[in-house]
Amino acid sequence: MVRSLRCIAVAFLLLAASAHAQQASRLDDIVKRGTLRVGMTGDYLPFTSLDKATQKYRGFDVDMAEALGKAIGVKVEYVQTAWPQLMKDFEADNFDIAMGGISITLDRQKKGLFSTPVMREGKTPIARCADKGKYETLAEIDKPGTRVIVNPGGTNERFARAHVKNAEIKIYNDNVTIFDEIAKGDADLMMTDASETRYQQKLHPGVLCAVHPDQPFDFAEKAYWIQRDVALKDFVDEWLHIATEDGSFKKIYSAWFE
């Protein structure tokens, strides 16, 4: 009787293991569907920008998304999101992967998986070039009368609220034109990712200057935020590894950051 029960238990475990092995992964679903759904805010150059007239995206992570779709063998479907609702859209399974300058955070890690990091950086100021020397430290920034502008809902706002207690924090909803507010004098500076300060300095030569982008205030990494599917994460990580080794990552990176 005992031996019979053991046999039944073993058979049950084998059946359970077989059923688990046959369960389709999200990667299988993507291949079957023929599309990779990529969540993007479309307001964060050089990573992602949406032309509202044509509804076309462009940017570093747009090129990377297209390369990933090609590697999987599917088309890329862009799903527009926004920083304040990114978490909710992710939890609602509105897309398979979020791309477009996504910073790794522990809150996001609780909800999904992150790929191998694609960039290391941190928060640093960008100000009018004439004022560059005034905002080199957090103590110099956090003074009454200083106007710190920030886009809502993301890591920029979180960083500002954690470190700015005396200066004014100005919330500005349009992440595309926010740097123009600094250029025309309606704000004094913004603290954002070093990569973005370098890019905006390039777009506003002699007007806006990145403040010590090689020595940011904190440590951060950018990666791709993946729905909790190990098969999809493994594929993305291996794709990134190959792209790094064969030079294709460097080619895309150079087009936007150098």
Side-chain angles (χ1 to χ4, degrees):
M1 179 68 177
V2 173
R3 184 178 179 181
S4 177
L5 288 173
R6 286 177 179 172
C7 290
I8 292 172
V10 170
F12 178 81
L13 289 172
L14 289 173
L15 285 171
S18 176
H20 179 74
Q22 293 176 11
Q23 184 177 2
S25 69
R26 181 177 292 267
L27 179 59
D28 294 326
D29 293 339
I30 291 167
V31 172
K32 184 178 180 181
R33 188 171 64 226
T35 57
L36 173 68
R37 300 174 304 157
V38 177
M40 279 195 173
T41 62
D43 64 352
Y44 186 15
L45 280 172
F47 296 97
T48 172
S49 177
L50 173 64
D51 185 326
K52 294 182 180 180
T54 63
Q55 290 298 299
K56 298 291 185 181
Y57 287 85
R58 67 184 183 92
F60 168 75
D61 275 332
V62 178
D63 293 347
M64 290 296 288
E66 292 295 331
L68 175 58
K70 184 177 180 180
I72 299 174
V74 298
K75 293 181 179 180
V76 176
E77 175 189 342
Y78 294 101
V79 179
Q80 188 173 8
T81 183
W83 297 110
Q85 68 189 55
L86 178 62
M87 181 75 78
K88 290 182 180 179
D89 286 345
F90 187 91
E91 291 181 292
D93 196 14
N94 289 345
F95 37 79
D96 304 302
I97 184 171
M99 302 175 72
I102 306 294
S103 296
I104 297 175
T105 69
L106 294 179
D107 286 343
R108 290 168 181 167
Q109 183 72 57
K110 291 177 185 177
K111 304 296 182 179
L113 302 173
F114 277 104
S115 70
T116 301
V118 297
M119 199 172 296
R120 175 175 177 162
E121 57 180 358
K123 302 300 181 189
T124 201
I126 182 169
R128 290 181 296 280
C129 293
D131 297 332
K132 180 179 178 181
K134 295 169 58 177
Y135 305 119
E136 295 184 347
T137 69
L138 287 168
E140 290 173 325
I141 291 169
D142 192 20
K143 292 180 178 179
T146 301
R147 300 163 299 169
V148 179
I149 196 165
V150 64
N151 57 311
T155 57
N156 288 341
E157 182 182 11
R158 184 182 304 178
F159 183 86
R161 295 201 180 281
H163 296 92
V164 174
K165 306 303 179 184
N166 300 303
E168 177 188 357
I169 295 178
K170 297 185 63 175
I171 299 297
Y172 189 79
N173 288 315
D174 187 355
N175 203 36
V176 176
T177 61
I178 193 168
F179 297 95
D180 296 332
E181 296 297 296
I182 304 171
K184 65 186 183 183
D186 289 343
D188 296 312
L189 73 141
M190 179 179 180
M191 291 181 288
T192 185
D193 296 325
S195 58
E196 186 173 34
T197 67
R198 290 190 184 98
Y199 185 76
Q200 291 298 327
Q201 177 179 261
K202 184 178 178 181
L203 291 182
H204 301 82
V207 179
L208 298 182
C209 284
V211 182
H212 54 63
D214 294 328
Q215 296 178 310
F217 291 137
D218 65 351
F219 161 78
E221 290 179 314
K222 292 195 183 302
Y224 301 134
W225 194 19
I226 304 164
Q227 295 286 353
R228 196 173 283 133
D229 181 80
V230 174
L232 180 57
K233 172 180 164 51
D234 286 347
F235 186 94
V236 173
D237 285 347
E238 186 59 28
W239 162 70
L240 284 170
H241 174 66
I242 293 171
T244 301
E245 294 298 321
D246 69 11
S248 54
F249 177 88
K250 177 65 175 177
K251 183 178 180 181
I252 295 174
Y253 180 92
S254 297
W256 292 98
F257 291 97
E258 295 180 358

Short mmCIF file of all heavy atoms in Angstrom, two decimals, residues 38 40 42 44-50 56-69 76 78 99-101 224 239 252 256:
data_model
loop_
_atom_site.label_atom_id
_atom_site.label_comp_id
_atom_site.label_asym_id
_atom_site.label_seq_id
_atom_site.Cartn_x
_atom_site.Cartn_y
_atom_site.Cartn_z
N VAL A 38 5.74 47.67 -26.53
CA VAL A 38 6.76 48.46 -25.82
C VAL A 38 6.12 49.72 -25.26
O VAL A 38 5.62 50.56 -26.01
CB VAL A 38 7.92 48.83 -26.76
CG1 VAL A 38 8.94 49.70 -26.02
CG2 VAL A 38 8.60 47.57 -27.30
N MET A 40 6.23 53.38 -23.77
CA MET A 40 7.12 54.54 -23.87
C MET A 40 6.38 55.82 -23.52
O MET A 40 5.21 55.98 -23.87
CB MET A 40 7.70 54.67 -25.29
CG MET A 40 8.86 53.78 -25.57
SD MET A 40 9.74 54.31 -27.06
CE MET A 40 11.16 53.20 -26.99
N GLY A 42 7.58 58.83 -24.58
CA GLY A 42 7.68 59.67 -25.77
C GLY A 42 8.04 61.12 -25.48
O GLY A 42 7.84 61.99 -26.33
N TYR A 44 11.20 62.04 -23.66
CA TYR A 44 12.48 62.01 -22.95
C TYR A 44 13.63 61.78 -23.92
O TYR A 44 14.20 60.70 -23.99
CB TYR A 44 12.42 60.91 -21.88
CG TYR A 44 13.58 60.83 -20.94
CD1 TYR A 44 14.51 61.86 -20.82
CD2 TYR A 44 13.76 59.69 -20.16
CE1 TYR A 44 15.57 61.76 -19.94
CE2 TYR A 44 14.83 59.58 -19.27
CZ TYR A 44 15.73 60.62 -19.17
OH TYR A 44 16.79 60.52 -18.31
N LEU A 45 13.95 62.81 -24.70
CA LEU A 45 15.12 62.72 -25.56
C LEU A 45 16.39 62.76 -24.72
O LEU A 45 16.43 63.42 -23.68
CB LEU A 45 15.12 63.89 -26.56
CG LEU A 45 14.23 63.73 -27.78
CD1 LEU A 45 14.18 65.03 -28.58
CD2 LEU A 45 14.72 62.59 -28.67
N PRO A 46 17.44 62.03 -25.11
CA PRO A 46 17.60 61.33 -26.39
C PRO A 46 17.07 59.90 -26.41
O PRO A 46 17.32 59.15 -27.35
CB PRO A 46 19.12 61.32 -26.56
CG PRO A 46 19.63 61.21 -25.16
CD PRO A 46 18.68 62.03 -24.32
N PHE A 47 16.31 59.50 -25.37
CA PHE A 47 15.84 58.12 -25.30
C PHE A 47 14.59 57.88 -26.13
O PHE A 47 14.48 56.90 -26.85
CB PHE A 47 15.59 57.73 -23.84
CG PHE A 47 16.82 57.75 -23.00
CD1 PHE A 47 17.14 58.84 -22.21
CD2 PHE A 47 17.69 56.67 -23.01
CE1 PHE A 47 18.29 58.86 -21.44
CE2 PHE A 47 18.85 56.67 -22.24
CZ PHE A 47 19.16 57.77 -21.45
N THR A 48 13.62 58.78 -26.01
CA THR A 48 12.37 58.59 -26.74
C THR A 48 11.65 59.92 -26.93
O THR A 48 11.63 60.76 -26.03
CB THR A 48 11.42 57.61 -25.99
OG1 THR A 48 10.14 57.60 -26.64
CG2 THR A 48 11.24 58.00 -24.54
N SER A 49 11.09 60.10 -28.12
CA SER A 49 10.31 61.30 -28.41
C SER A 49 9.21 60.94 -29.39
O SER A 49 9.45 60.26 -30.38
CB SER A 49 11.21 62.39 -29.02
OG SER A 49 10.45 63.52 -29.38
N LEU A 50 8.00 61.39 -29.08
CA LEU A 50 6.85 61.12 -29.94
C LEU A 50 6.47 62.38 -30.69
O LEU A 50 6.20 63.42 -30.09
CB LEU A 50 5.66 60.64 -29.10
CG LEU A 50 4.33 60.48 -29.85
CD1 LEU A 50 4.43 59.40 -30.92
CD2 LEU A 50 3.20 60.16 -28.87
N LYS A 56 4.89 59.13 -34.69
CA LYS A 56 6.11 58.34 -34.85
C LYS A 56 7.06 58.62 -33.68
O LYS A 56 7.22 59.76 -33.26
CB LYS A 56 6.80 58.68 -36.16
CG LYS A 56 5.98 58.37 -37.42
CD LYS A 56 5.81 56.88 -37.61
CE LYS A 56 5.10 56.58 -38.93
NZ LYS A 56 4.89 55.11 -39.13
N TYR A 57 7.68 57.56 -33.20
CA TYR A 57 8.66 57.68 -32.13
C TYR A 57 10.07 57.70 -32.71
O TYR A 57 10.33 57.09 -33.75
CB TYR A 57 8.56 56.49 -31.16
CG TYR A 57 7.36 56.50 -30.26
CD1 TYR A 57 6.14 55.98 -30.69
CD2 TYR A 57 7.43 57.00 -28.97
CE1 TYR A 57 5.03 55.96 -29.85
CE2 TYR A 57 6.33 56.99 -28.12
CZ TYR A 57 5.14 56.47 -28.57
OH TYR A 57 4.05 56.46 -27.75
N ARG A 58 10.96 58.40 -32.01
CA ARG A 58 12.36 58.38 -32.37
C ARG A 58 13.18 58.49 -31.09
O ARG A 58 12.70 58.99 -30.07
CB ARG A 58 12.72 59.52 -33.32
CG ARG A 58 12.61 60.92 -32.73
CD ARG A 58 12.87 62.01 -33.75
NE ARG A 58 12.83 63.35 -33.16
CZ ARG A 58 13.89 63.98 -32.68
NH1 ARG A 58 15.09 63.40 -32.75
NH2 ARG A 58 13.78 65.18 -32.14
N GLY A 59 14.43 58.04 -31.16
CA GLY A 59 15.30 58.12 -30.00
C GLY A 59 16.15 56.87 -29.86
O GLY A 59 15.97 55.88 -30.59
N PHE A 60 17.08 56.93 -28.94
CA PHE A 60 17.98 55.80 -28.70
C PHE A 60 17.22 54.52 -28.40
O PHE A 60 17.47 53.46 -29.00
CB PHE A 60 18.91 56.15 -27.53
CG PHE A 60 19.68 54.98 -27.00
CD1 PHE A 60 20.77 54.47 -27.68
CD2 PHE A 60 19.33 54.39 -25.79
CE1 PHE A 60 21.49 53.39 -27.19
CE2 PHE A 60 20.05 53.31 -25.28
CZ PHE A 60 21.13 52.81 -25.99
N ASP A 61 16.27 54.58 -27.46
CA ASP A 61 15.56 53.36 -27.09
C ASP A 61 14.51 52.96 -28.11
O ASP A 61 14.03 51.82 -28.09
CB ASP A 61 14.93 53.52 -25.70
CG ASP A 61 15.92 53.19 -24.60
OD1 ASP A 61 16.84 52.39 -24.85
OD2 ASP A 61 15.79 53.73 -23.48
N VAL A 62 14.15 53.84 -29.01
CA VAL A 62 13.30 53.45 -30.14
C VAL A 62 14.11 52.58 -31.09
O VAL A 62 13.64 51.53 -31.54
CB VAL A 62 12.75 54.70 -30.86
CG1 VAL A 62 11.91 54.29 -32.06
CG2 VAL A 62 11.92 55.55 -29.90
N ASP A 63 15.34 53.02 -31.38
CA ASP A 63 16.21 52.21 -32.22
C ASP A 63 16.51 50.87 -31.57
O ASP A 63 16.57 49.83 -32.24
CB ASP A 63 17.52 52.95 -32.50
CG ASP A 63 17.32 54.19 -33.38
OD1 ASP A 63 16.23 54.32 -33.98
OD2 ASP A 63 18.25 55.02 -33.46
N MET A 64 16.69 50.89 -30.24
CA MET A 64 16.95 49.64 -29.53
C MET A 64 15.72 48.73 -29.55
O MET A 64 15.84 47.50 -29.70
CB MET A 64 17.36 49.94 -28.09
CG MET A 64 18.75 50.58 -27.95
SD MET A 64 20.10 49.49 -28.48
CE MET A 64 20.11 48.28 -27.15
N ALA A 65 14.55 49.31 -29.41
CA ALA A 65 13.31 48.52 -29.44
C ALA A 65 13.13 47.85 -30.80
O ALA A 65 12.74 46.68 -30.89
CB ALA A 65 12.11 49.40 -29.12
N GLU A 66 13.41 48.60 -31.86
CA GLU A 66 13.29 48.02 -33.20
C GLU A 66 14.29 46.88 -33.39
O GLU A 66 13.97 45.86 -34.01
CB GLU A 66 13.51 49.11 -34.25
CG GLU A 66 12.41 50.18 -34.30
CD GLU A 66 11.06 49.62 -34.74
OE1 GLU A 66 11.04 48.63 -35.49
OE2 GLU A 66 10.04 50.20 -34.33
N ALA A 67 15.49 47.05 -32.84
CA ALA A 67 16.50 45.99 -32.94
C ALA A 67 16.07 44.76 -32.15
O ALA A 67 16.28 43.62 -32.58
CB ALA A 67 17.85 46.50 -32.44
N LEU A 68 15.45 44.98 -30.99
CA LEU A 68 14.96 43.86 -30.19
C LEU A 68 13.83 43.13 -30.90
O LEU A 68 13.80 41.89 -30.94
CB LEU A 68 14.49 44.37 -28.82
CG LEU A 68 13.83 43.34 -27.90
CD1 LEU A 68 14.76 42.16 -27.63
CD2 LEU A 68 13.39 44.00 -26.59
N GLY A 69 12.91 43.88 -31.47
CA GLY A 69 11.82 43.26 -32.22
C GLY A 69 12.34 42.42 -33.37
O GLY A 69 11.86 41.31 -33.62
N VAL A 76 7.22 45.78 -33.67
CA VAL A 76 7.14 46.52 -32.41
C VAL A 76 5.88 47.37 -32.41
O VAL A 76 5.61 48.12 -33.35
CB VAL A 76 8.38 47.41 -32.21
CG1 VAL A 76 8.24 48.25 -30.94
CG2 VAL A 76 9.64 46.57 -32.15
N TYR A 78 4.17 50.29 -30.21
CA TYR A 78 4.45 51.24 -29.14
C TYR A 78 3.17 51.60 -28.41
O TYR A 78 2.14 51.89 -29.02
CB TYR A 78 5.12 52.49 -29.71
CG TYR A 78 6.49 52.20 -30.27
CD1 TYR A 78 6.68 52.05 -31.65
CD2 TYR A 78 7.58 52.03 -29.44
CE1 TYR A 78 7.93 51.75 -32.17
CE2 TYR A 78 8.84 51.74 -29.95
CZ TYR A 78 9.01 51.60 -31.32
OH TYR A 78 10.25 51.30 -31.82
N MET A 99 10.49 50.78 -22.16
CA MET A 99 11.77 51.29 -22.62
C MET A 99 11.66 52.81 -22.77
O MET A 99 10.56 53.34 -22.84
CB MET A 99 12.15 50.64 -23.97
CG MET A 99 12.23 49.13 -23.92
SD MET A 99 12.54 48.32 -25.52
CE MET A 99 14.26 48.73 -25.80
N GLY A 100 12.80 53.47 -22.81
CA GLY A 100 12.76 54.91 -22.97
C GLY A 100 13.36 55.65 -21.78
O GLY A 100 12.72 56.54 -21.22
N GLY A 101 14.59 55.26 -21.40
CA GLY A 101 15.25 55.94 -20.29
C GLY A 101 14.71 55.53 -18.94
O GLY A 101 14.62 56.35 -18.02
N TYR A 224 15.87 47.94 -19.10
CA TYR A 224 14.55 47.71 -19.68
C TYR A 224 13.70 46.94 -18.68
O TYR A 224 14.14 45.91 -18.14
CB TYR A 224 14.68 47.00 -21.02
CG TYR A 224 15.52 47.80 -22.00
CD1 TYR A 224 16.52 47.21 -22.76
CD2 TYR A 224 15.34 49.18 -22.10
CE1 TYR A 224 17.31 47.97 -23.63
CE2 TYR A 224 16.12 49.94 -22.96
CZ TYR A 224 17.10 49.33 -23.72
OH TYR A 224 17.88 50.10 -24.56
N TRP A 239 20.38 39.14 -25.89
CA TRP A 239 20.40 40.07 -27.02
C TRP A 239 21.29 41.27 -26.73
O TRP A 239 22.10 41.68 -27.57
CB TRP A 239 18.97 40.52 -27.32
CG TRP A 239 18.87 41.76 -28.15
CD1 TRP A 239 19.18 41.90 -29.48
CD2 TRP A 239 18.44 43.06 -27.70
NE1 TRP A 239 18.96 43.20 -29.88
CE2 TRP A 239 18.51 43.92 -28.82
CE3 TRP A 239 17.99 43.55 -26.48
CZ2 TRP A 239 18.15 45.27 -28.73
CZ3 TRP A 239 17.62 44.88 -26.39
CH2 TRP A 239 17.72 45.72 -27.50
N ILE A 252 24.30 52.29 -32.25
CA ILE A 252 23.08 53.00 -31.89
C ILE A 252 23.38 54.07 -30.84
O ILE A 252 22.89 55.20 -30.92
CB ILE A 252 22.01 52.02 -31.39
CG1 ILE A 252 21.58 51.07 -32.51
CG2 ILE A 252 20.79 52.77 -30.85
CD1 ILE A 252 20.62 49.97 -32.08
N TRP A 256 23.21 58.83 -30.88
CA TRP A 256 22.42 59.70 -30.02
C TRP A 256 23.20 60.39 -28.91
O TRP A 256 22.78 61.44 -28.42
CB TRP A 256 21.28 58.89 -29.38
CG TRP A 256 20.28 58.45 -30.38
CD1 TRP A 256 20.17 57.24 -31.00
CD2 TRP A 256 19.24 59.26 -30.94
NE1 TRP A 256 19.15 57.24 -31.89
CE2 TRP A 256 18.54 58.46 -31.87
CE3 TRP A 256 18.81 60.58 -30.72
CZ2 TRP A 256 17.45 58.93 -32.59
CZ3 TRP A 256 17.72 61.06 -31.45
CH2 TRP A 256 17.06 60.24 -32.37
#
